[in-house]
Amino acid sequence: MPGRLVALFVAPAAGAPARRVDRARALAGRGLDGDRYADGAGSFSRWPGKGRDVTLIDAAALAEAAAEFGVAVAQGQHRRNLVTEGVPLDELRGVPFEIGGARFEGVRVCAPCKYLVRVTGQDRIFDALVRRGGLRAAVVASGTVREGDAVTWDPADVARRPRLPG
């Protein structure tokens, strides 16, 4: 059963508030059009490496974090680009998947960082997102993604993937 994309966020510069959009163009090897990483202006853009194009987080994980820690992690405060529902993000490391007209590949977990505390002013947000931080992914084929789009993957790809560390 496919999952679905429930929200998209872009931030034009490092430290800028994330802004919700209803659609965005995913650019192969870059990220979402209008986002700092697609423009090479993200905090980690100066270092080479795969998996900085987009970040994903599960809506249920955000709800759990808010309920357990009393933090506001909605509306972009989580600093993730794509919020999904019904998608086993941990299982998609090393696995291709599609959202709308774009193709992605899961690269590694997206652990929270202490920067979130500074940006949100919430001391507990880091702890709230530990083991709930989501997934970093590469855009491997450009296309448009929209709120409500299905998120699909081949379960056989999940079964075949090698065991990957964090």
Side-chain angles (χ1 to χ4, degrees), residues 5-32:
L5 180 63
V6 296
L8 291 91
F9 295 91
V10 295
R19 169 177 66 86
R20 189 170 182 170
V21 295
D22 63 351
R23 82 181 110 229
R25 181 97 174 132
L27 306 170
R30 293 183 48 206
L32 299 179

Side-chain angles (χ1 to χ4, degrees), residues 14-142:
R19 169 177 66 86
R20 189 170 182 170
V21 295
D22 63 351
R23 82 181 110 229
R25 181 97 174 132
L27 306 170
R30 293 183 48 206
L32 299 179
D33 191 25
D35 189 66
R36 63 206 181 278
Y37 281 95
D39 295 334
S43 297
F44 300 102
S45 292
R46 61 185 156 216
W47 293 290
K50 189 175 172 186
R52 294 190 180 103
D53 296 352
V54 296
T55 54
L56 298 91
I57 194 162
D58 181 68
L62 292 173
E64 291 166 7
E68 186 177 336
F69 288 86
V71 296
V73 289
Q75 297 309 314
Q77 286 191 318
H78 42 70
R79 307 296 292 169
R80 303 297 185 256
N81 298 117
L82 306 174
V83 181
T84 62
E85 182 177 80
V87 179
L89 295 176
D90 287 343
E91 294 180 17
L92 295 184
R93 288 180 289 135
V95 172
F97 60 96
E98 294 180 5
I99 304 173
R103 190 160 175 83
F104 302 83
E105 182 179 341
V107 176
R108 64 182 176 278
V109 297
C110 188
C113 65
K114 294 289 185 176
Y115 176 70
L116 287 174
V117 174
R118 281 197 325 249
V119 169
T120 66
Q122 299 178 84
D123 292 335
R124 300 185 68 186
I125 197 164
F126 176 84
D127 293 333
L129 293 179
V130 168
R131 289 181 299 285
R132 296 182 176 115
L135 178 70
R136 292 186 178 280
V139 181
V140 295
S142 299

